[in-house]
Amino acid sequence: MKRHNPKITILGAGVVAVLALIALFSLPAASRAEFSVNATLSSTTFSVDDGAQLSITVNGTRSADLEIPETDTSSFEIIQRGRSSQINMINGNFSSAITFTCIVRGYKSGKYTIPPITIKSDGTSRTTEAIPFEITDSGQMGQSGSGTAVLPSPSASGASAGGDAAFLRLNIDKTSSYVGEIIPVEVKAYFKKGLRASLNSAPTLVGDGLVMPQLNEKPVQTEEIFGNSRYSVLTWQTDISNIKEGKYTVHLELDATLLIPERRMSTSIFGQSPFDDDFFDNVFGGYKEKPIKPVSEEMTFTILPLPDENRPAGFTGAIGNFNLQVAATPIQAETGEPLTLTMTVSGTGNFDRVEAPAFPESDQWKTYTPAATFTKGTGGDHTGNKVFEQAIVAKSGSVSEIPALAFSYFDPQKGKYITRESSPIPVSITAKTSVPVPTPAPPVRGNEAAPAATVAPKQQPESTSAPIGGLAPLRLESGNTTSAITPLYTRPPFLAVMAICVLALLMLTVLKIYRLREDAHPEDRRRRQLGKALQDSYQSMDQALAQENSSVFLAVCRTAIQQHLGAIWHCQASAITSADLTARLSSSNRLVEIFTIAEKAAYSGALLDRETMQDYARAVKKELEELV
Amino acid sequence: MKRYLLPLLLSVMTASFLISAAFAGVDNSRFQEANGAYSRNDFESAIAIYEELISNNGYSAGLLYNLANSYAQAGHTGKAVLNYERALQLDPNDPDILGNLQLVRAANGIFNPEATTLEHLLHLFSMNQWIGIGGLALVLLTVGLLLSLQLKISPRAMMGLGIACSVVMLASTIATLELHVEWTGSVVVHESRLLISPFEGAATAGNIQEGRMVSSGKEHGTYVFVEDETGRKGWIVQSAIEPVIPSDPRR
């Protein structure tokens, strides 16, 4: 069996590979003038804001440039999304193809034509054929000034074809209600799945007659299939208040921004770049922002006035369905002692119009303004309970019960006024003769907001209280006056005293720090003291020298020597004698000589001339400074 | 000695002038006239004269107290409480002012939450008294330290003085900060609705009684956000409240 030489096999394979590469790279030159173009649209009919894919295939070249023609962007837009290249080898013949992928996005219904698209390759160009297409009306997407697209909602029945990119819906149980009534509603914003969008505002209600509070709470996010499309849905639960009677048409709208992917610009200096693929567009490509304003379908509401017939006197505008509970504590008291009356109105409705049941006018009771607390229920702002606490004081011991209290409201379901009445609460009041008779309730002045025209006016107590008994008598002297009531810390004398104290404390602190530092280094302090004492001694010596008084001069010299040697030797200065100096200093030290002369002079006297005194002074200074 | 006499005399005269200027008296005849009107139950006339005296002469505890009594008798609870509170700032421990204020508040159902022990301690003195106590402690500490430079005072005694003065100054500072909130408070002079939002027709959070003390916060238009002694908050028209410490000096 003949064996192959491995070196020859590898060499042969290398030659084949090189030939193949030469053939591959020589292909564009061979086919330079042979390329052809073809454009196809995935669907020639599509709805507004839906899109169709435009594919432009260029055969017979490995590099080509596409020129997207200008279009009326208010009608439709051609957006290039990517390109891909393909090389085929069939029976030894190489062929290459480039496919450009574009999206045709429609904005306005109508019949349009994609104009011929020019493709250039190596100096020559080809054009595609024009492609007619139709954008159907079902999507209802229009353009509203400054590039803002308005996206109305699906049809009234809600049976959309599912072609809308974004829209709003207002889910409400009834479209006929009464003035002041609160209606719970559900607001939903639909965004087609896959679209990238950001909200610039929460949905708002546009129209007269009804008011929706600002939606500040975070919406619940879900997914829904609507028509044939899947949507991301944001849901808010809120209420609508009716403020005026009449027939009103309203709709919802919100501001949002659609993020539309953009084709990246090729940055390769060699023309064709391996990164010019769709994949890299998705990863690195940017987005174009397009403001949109989705709206809901218009809804007509009929707001009815509250009936005048059978309207209770105590009706304050409460509409809904409420219950009343009344309790009092304590139920045993003396006259003049306050009782707390707790009135709880619970249920569903417009709690901002719920006022405390009016306490019946009576000479036997003194009443105070009730304080209200509203506790929101789980069903939103229109459910919960409002608790009124009112202080009441029995004026007479003959009182045996707290009278029944009534609360009236309008029930929109039944279409009539309802009055809830509590039972009288038995109480035991004993007379207390020492207590002054309480005064009537405090006033409520006229600066309160006027109640709605449809409700009975709120009870307005009298403008002032009656005189109070038992006040301490007047002052007979006014006393000294001051032009202004000011805090003590702003008065200059106080400030001056405080400033002096603070300054003194600062100085004391600095002094204390200085002393502490000195205490930490006693040698330094002793050296400084010694130096100062030395200077004082020199001064005394110089004075004596100037007076040419040798007795004084020698005495000063002797004292100076004693003081300084005493400090250095840590012994009593006055006990130092010439014998000590002789014993502890060298014999050549002139201090011994001068001290001995001075010691003798102290007993026998001495007379020194000026030169000698000057010589002694210099010697003493020199020797002492050396010792110190 | 003679050469010191003139400066001393001048100093005494200047001090006397300053003191008399700072604490001027009131036209006594008008004051008595107002008291007479009060005695005749002509409270509105009494109020007018007392207000005129305050406007011309400034504030005094006696004037404010009599004015507060007149307002109380005339049924203006808010103004009565306001002027009692002002009088208390000038004469914090006066039993008549304290008693009448308590009586007016109780008669009009202005009951405050039960005060805690700490609040009782805080209200042992007024804000100015607390400031004075703190200042006195500082003076004592300074004098003690200065004396210790010259006199032989035991370190233990100095330590005790230092700790005691520091504790008093700390307590005074805390009390002053706490009471400053009351000092800057206002009194509701007209009963009003507490609104949830600062505009007419907004939902109400209930009524706020005349005579209630409130602390005010941010403002919006003619409305101010207030919180009363019971912790209730809301917007109220600015004209319904008046600050305890008047911002405009009289005279």
Side-chain angles (χ1 to χ4, degrees):
Chain A
M1 190 176 172
K2 188 180 177 180
R3 293 186 62 183
H4 292 282
N5 186 339
K7 285 184 181 177
I8 293 171
T9 307
I10 292 167
L11 187 64
V15 170
V16 170
V18 169
L19 287 173
L21 282 171
I22 291 168
L24 187 64
F25 282 98
S26 62
L27 183 67
S31 61
R32 185 166 293 162
E34 301 297 326
F35 78 97
S36 61
V37 295
N38 180 40
T40 56
L41 194 62
S42 62
S43 171
T44 54
T45 306
F46 54 90
S47 62
V48 165
D49 206 46
D50 210 353
Q53 183 172 307
L54 175 68
S55 301
I56 301 159
T57 308
V58 184
N59 289 306
T61 183
R62 286 187 58 246
S63 72
D65 291 323
L66 181 71
E67 286 181 5
I68 302 281
E70 292 289 327
T71 60
D72 178 11
T73 52
S74 64
S75 306
F76 72 94
E77 193 176 12
I78 302 171
I79 305 157
Q80 189 180 346
R81 293 295 307 273
R83 62 184 285 172
S84 59
S85 301
Q86 194 176 7
I87 296 172
N88 296 320
M89 189 174 73
I90 303 166
N91 295 329
N93 293 325
F94 288 94
S95 66
S96 67
I98 301 168
T99 304
F100 294 94
T101 308
C102 301
I103 297 291
V104 180
R105 194 179 290 280
Y107 298 126
K108 199 187 323 181
S109 61
K111 290 185 177 179
Y112 304 100
T113 301
I114 296 173
I117 298 169
T118 304
I119 292 100
K120 288 183 179 174
S121 175
D122 295 326
T124 57
S125 62
R126 297 280 187 277
T127 53
T128 62
E129 290 185 0
I131 305 171
F133 67 99
E134 184 179 1
I135 301 172
T136 60
D137 201 24
S138 61
Q140 300 174 346
M141 186 178 196
Q143 194 80 2
S144 78
S146 65
T148 302
V150 179
L151 305 173
S153 71
S155 60
S157 64
S160 167
D164 298 307
F167 59 90
L168 296 171
R169 296 193 76 187
L170 178 66
N171 295 329
I172 189 164
D173 290 338
K174 55 183 183 179
T175 55
S176 177
S177 51
Y178 291 91
V179 172
E181 188 179 349
I182 288 180
I183 312 163
V185 294
E186 185 181 63
V187 175
K188 284 188 165 186
Y190 290 76
F191 292 90
K192 194 175 246 184
K193 189 76 181 165
L195 272 180
R196 294 188 65 172
S198 61
L199 294 188
N200 302 327
S201 72
T204 52
L205 191 72
V206 180
D208 277 341
L210 297 100
V211 173
M212 186 177 81
Q214 199 169 2
L215 301 175
N216 293 323
E217 289 185 9
K218 199 175 171 185
V220 176
Q221 194 165 352
T222 54
E223 276 190 19
E224 283 183 24
I225 294 173
F226 197 81
N228 294 324
S229 304
R230 184 179 288 274
Y231 286 86
S232 295
V233 184
L234 303 175
T235 306
W236 290 266
Q237 302 290 343
T238 184
D239 305 313
I240 282 180
S241 306
N242 304 329
I243 54 173
K244 280 191 289 187
E245 63 180 84
K247 204 166 188 176
Y248 301 100
T249 302
V250 297
H251 69 269
L252 291 169
E253 66 178 36
L254 69 78
D255 290 319
T257 303
L258 268 186
L259 301 173
I260 301 163
E262 276 190 318
R263 169 87 179 136
R264 289 181 307 119
M265 297 290 289
S266 176
T267 54
S268 172
I269 57 169
F270 304 108
Q272 179 73 17
S273 163
F275 295 104
D276 289 351
D277 194 82
D278 278 357
F279 169 77
F280 295 105
D281 281 347
N282 290 334
V283 175
F284 302 113
Y287 286 88
K288 186 171 75 177
E289 290 188 349
K290 190 179 187 75
I292 59 168
K293 194 185 280 287
V295 298
S296 72
E297 65 178 355
E298 294 208 321
M299 297 182 78
T300 303
F301 289 88
T302 305
I303 302 174
L304 305 168
L306 290 171
D308 291 329
E309 193 183 346
N310 299 326
R311 181 180 293 181
F315 176 68
T316 59
I319 303 173
N321 190 10
F322 301 98
N323 284 312
L324 173 67
Q325 285 180 316
V326 179
T329 179
I331 54 171
Q332 290 183 334
E334 292 181 333
T335 51
E337 278 185 2
L339 310 181
T340 303
L341 193 59
T342 306
M343 299 159 281
T344 306
V345 178
S346 57
T348 306
N350 55 349
F351 274 95
D352 62 321
R353 297 285 186 92
V354 172
E355 302 279 354
F359 197 92
E361 289 287 330
S362 167
D363 292 337
Q364 293 187 311
W365 291 97
K366 170 183 164 67
T367 59
Y368 297 97
T369 308
T373 314
F374 176 63
T375 308
K376 197 161 73 171
T378 52
D381 288 343
H382 62 287
T383 65
N385 61 65
K386 201 166 186 177
V387 180
F388 300 93
E389 287 193 344
Q390 185 174 24
I392 55 172
V393 178
K395 294 178 181 176
S396 156
S398 62
V399 170
S400 59
E401 64 177 24
I402 295 171
L405 300 175
F407 172 72
S408 298
Y409 64 93
F410 182 77
D411 188 335
Q413 303 293 335
K414 296 175 181 169
K416 63 177 185 180
Y417 294 98
I418 307 282
T419 298
R420 303 276 184 202
E421 196 164 313
S422 70
S423 304
I425 300 170
V427 289
S428 172
I429 306 293
T430 51
K432 185 180 173 186
T433 51
S434 59
V435 171
V437 177
T439 55
V444 173
R445 298 192 186 261
N447 56 353
E448 294 175 347
T454 54
V455 301
K458 189 177 181 289
Q459 281 184 319
Q460 298 282 330
E462 63 200 78
S463 61
T464 56
S465 304
I468 296 170
L471 286 180
L474 291 183
R475 294 281 169 80
L476 299 178
E477 289 184 359
S478 64
N480 290 327
T481 57
T482 176
S483 61
I485 303 172
T486 52
L488 191 58
Y489 62 77
T490 60
R491 296 179 195 170
F494 179 81
L495 285 175
V497 173
M498 291 300 103
I500 290 167
C501 287
V502 169
L503 276 175
L505 283 176
L506 279 174
M507 287 169 63
L508 286 167
T509 307
V510 170
L511 188 66
K512 185 71 182 171
I513 291 168
Y514 177 75
R515 284 188 175 177
L516 284 173
R517 286 180 64 180
E518 279 207 328
D519 288 347
H521 305 284
E523 281 301 314
D524 290 350
R525 188 174 59 177
R526 199 175 62 81
R527 194 172 290 116
R528 276 197 298 275
Q529 287 172 345
L530 204 57
K532 188 172 180 305
L534 206 58
Q535 291 303 322
D536 292 344
S537 302
Y538 294 163
Q539 210 172 353
S540 302
M541 283 163 63
D542 289 342
Q543 280 177 359
L545 186 62
Q547 292 166 3
E548 295 186 5
N549 188 338
S550 54
S551 300
V552 173
F553 176 79
L554 285 170
V556 170
C557 286
R558 185 180 168 217
T559 307
I561 292 166
Q562 277 180 322
Q563 278 180 348
H564 292 96
L565 291 182
I568 293 166
W569 294 342
H570 302 291
C571 62
Q572 196 178 347
S574 59
I576 293 174
T577 61
S578 58
D580 296 321
L581 266 73
T582 309
R584 300 180 73 161
L585 299 175
S586 67
S587 56
S588 62
N589 195 313
R590 292 203 63 197
L591 288 179
V592 179
E593 174 201 345
I594 295 165
F595 190 84
T596 307
I597 290 167
E599 202 170 41
K600 284 178 182 171
Y603 301 103
S604 58
L607 192 64
L608 300 176
D609 58 18
R610 185 175 180 82
E611 286 75 26
T612 309
M613 282 195 286
Q614 282 175 338
D615 177 46
Y616 281 1
R618 277 195 297 271
V620 167
K621 287 178 186 174
K622 178 174 174 288
E623 295 295 341
L624 283 179
E625 276 169 11
E626 281 178 4
L627 283 172
V628 170
Chain B
M1 184 64 192
K2 276 183 184 176
R3 63 178 175 169
Y4 295 117
L5 199 60
L6 187 62
L8 191 68
L9 206 62
L10 280 173
S11 302
V12 169
M13 283 171 69
T14 310
S16 307
F17 172 75
L18 287 173
I19 290 167
S20 61
F23 298 100
V26 170
D27 180 356
N28 199 44
S29 61
R30 289 289 282 163
F31 185 71
Q32 295 308 332
E33 193 181 330
N35 286 0
Y38 180 93
S39 304
R40 294 190 305 274
N41 289 347
D42 184 3
F43 303 121
E44 296 296 341
S45 299
I47 288 168
I49 299 171
Y50 289 133
E51 290 280 17
E52 176 202 314
L53 287 171
I54 288 173
S55 182
N56 293 337
N57 302 280
Y59 306 95
S60 78
L63 258 178
L64 290 166
Y65 167 79
N66 285 7
L67 176 63
N69 277 3
S70 305
Y71 272 125
Q73 296 293 20
H76 304 294
T77 309
K79 286 279 192 181
V81 171
L82 175 73
N83 285 289
Y84 283 132
E85 292 284 356
R86 285 178 176 175
L88 277 178
Q89 299 302 335
L90 295 174
D91 197 352
N93 298 320
D94 186 281
D96 287 347
I97 303 173
L98 286 168
N100 282 7
L101 174 61
Q102 202 173 353
L103 194 64
V104 169
R105 287 174 69 101
N108 289 281
I110 306 169
F111 303 109
N112 288 338
E114 191 67 27
T116 61
T117 310
L118 185 65
E119 285 169 337
H120 278 302
L121 285 173
L122 278 176
H123 288 93
L124 279 177
F125 305 104
S126 71
M127 189 181 83
N128 274 348
Q129 285 175 324
W130 275 113
I131 295 171
I133 290 168
L136 190 65
L138 183 66
V139 171
L140 276 177
L141 182 66
T142 311
V143 170
L145 288 171
L146 286 171
L147 286 176
S148 71
L149 293 177
Q150 298 298 324
L151 304 175
K152 195 80 177 173
I153 301 173
S154 76
R156 187 174 290 182
M158 283 309 300
M159 179 71 82
L161 178 72
I163 290 171
C165 289
S166 301
V167 168
V168 171
M169 283 191 285
L170 184 68
S172 151
T173 307
I174 292 169
T176 303
L177 290 174
E178 287 291 328
L179 294 175
H180 196 264
V181 178
E182 293 177 17
W183 179 277
T184 55
S186 300
V187 175
V188 178
V189 291
H190 303 299
E191 179 155 338
S192 295
R193 282 187 173 190
L194 268 183
L195 302 177
I196 290 169
S197 304
F199 56 85
E200 193 178 352
T204 172
N207 280 13
I208 187 158
Q209 282 170 283
E210 190 180 358
R212 276 271 178 214
M213 281 281 288
V214 293
S215 58
S216 50
K218 55 190 173 184
E219 296 175 3
H220 186 275
T222 56
Y223 288 85
V224 61
F225 190 79
V226 297
E227 180 177 357
D228 75 1
E229 301 146 299
T230 60
R232 291 199 310 151
K233 297 174 188 172
W235 293 91
I236 191 173
V237 283
Q238 279 181 330
S239 58
I241 60 170
E242 274 190 42
V244 172
I245 305 304
S247 52
D248 56 323
R250 300 300 168 113
R251 276 185 298 162

